[in-house]
């Protein structure tokens, strides 16, 4: 089942009409999650607005109370870090808003908009530079590579939850 989901992601498949290959900057997708502190602090609208205004396309979004099992898999690469248990507890302490954004260089673009892992290293104008101070309450997650984006999207979303829709602003966003 996991392999089928990964194949769907790689092919850019979801429900709705298929778009031309060039659509939305080649269709790179990234996984973004507003973390429990971002939801509690009523930052969801602000953060979604930033990605929309940038010109990225929202293809999936849901409010999720993530299980510890899902979070342990999401953060499997960090399992030997001393903060791993605390991280899983924090991420399961309330709902998160899980999203998939699509567009030209979506992974790199979203990471640049988020800023550094440590808010103290994040410049003003980035999300972490503007909205948080502590590394353990850093408001938002964005995939760090195309490969991890594909894994994270298939972990958090079923293929039918990702919608390909006709973006009428596309000609104003891409050359
Ligand atoms: N030193 C740390 N102490 C606590 N949490 C951390 C530390 N370093 C990284 N993290 C968390 O681990 C997360 C890894 O994914 P993110 O970059 O989304 O955000 C990171 C922080 O939430």
């Amino acid at each position: 089942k996991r392999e089928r989901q990964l194949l769907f992601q790689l092919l850019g498949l979801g429900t709705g009409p298929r778009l031309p290959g060039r659509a939305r900057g080649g269709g790179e997708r990234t996984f973004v999650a507003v973390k429990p502190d971002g939801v509690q602090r009523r930052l969801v609208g602000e953060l979604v607005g930033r990605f929309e205004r940038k010109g990225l396309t929202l293809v999936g979004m849901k409010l999720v109370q993530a299980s510890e099992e899902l979070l342990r898999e999401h953060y499997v690469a960090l399992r030997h870090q001393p903060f791993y248990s605390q991280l899983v507890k924090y991420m399961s302490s309330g709902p998160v808003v899980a999203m998939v954004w699509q567009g030209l260089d979506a992974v790199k673009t979203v990471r640049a908009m988020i800023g550094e892992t440590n808010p103290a290293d994040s410049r003003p104008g980035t999300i972490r530079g503007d909205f948080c101070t502590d590394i353990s309450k850093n408001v938002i997650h964005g995939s760090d590579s195309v490969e991890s984006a594909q894994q994270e999207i298939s972990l958090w979303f079923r293929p039918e939850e990702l919608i390909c829709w006709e973006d009428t602003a596309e000609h104003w966003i891409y050359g």
Side-chain angles (χ1 to χ4, degrees), residues 42-118:
R42 313 298 198 262
L43 291 173
V44 172
E46 164 72 32
L47 304 181
V48 169
R50 287 187 176 215
F51 299 124
E52 278 193 311
R53 293 196 299 270
K54 179 70 175 168
L56 293 167
T57 303
L58 183 64
V59 296
M61 178 160 75
K62 58 185 175 181
L63 185 70
V64 188
Q65 174 62 59
S67 67
E68 292 197 8
E69 187 188 4
L70 183 147
L71 292 163
R72 276 196 290 272
E73 190 167 348
H74 176 83
Y75 285 122
V76 70
L78 301 177
R79 66 192 180 283
H80 300 306
Q81 295 293 331
F83 55 82
Y84 178 69
S85 304
Q86 181 203 333
L87 177 60
V88 169
K89 207 169 152 211
Y90 152 58
M91 287 294 290
S92 60
S93 66
V96 303
V97 175
M99 298 178 275
V100 178
W101 289 91
Q102 183 168 315
L104 181 64
D105 288 328
V107 170
K108 194 175 166 189
T109 299
V110 166
R111 290 286 286 193
M113 291 173 73
I114 288 176
E116 301 300 318
T117 301
N118 187 351

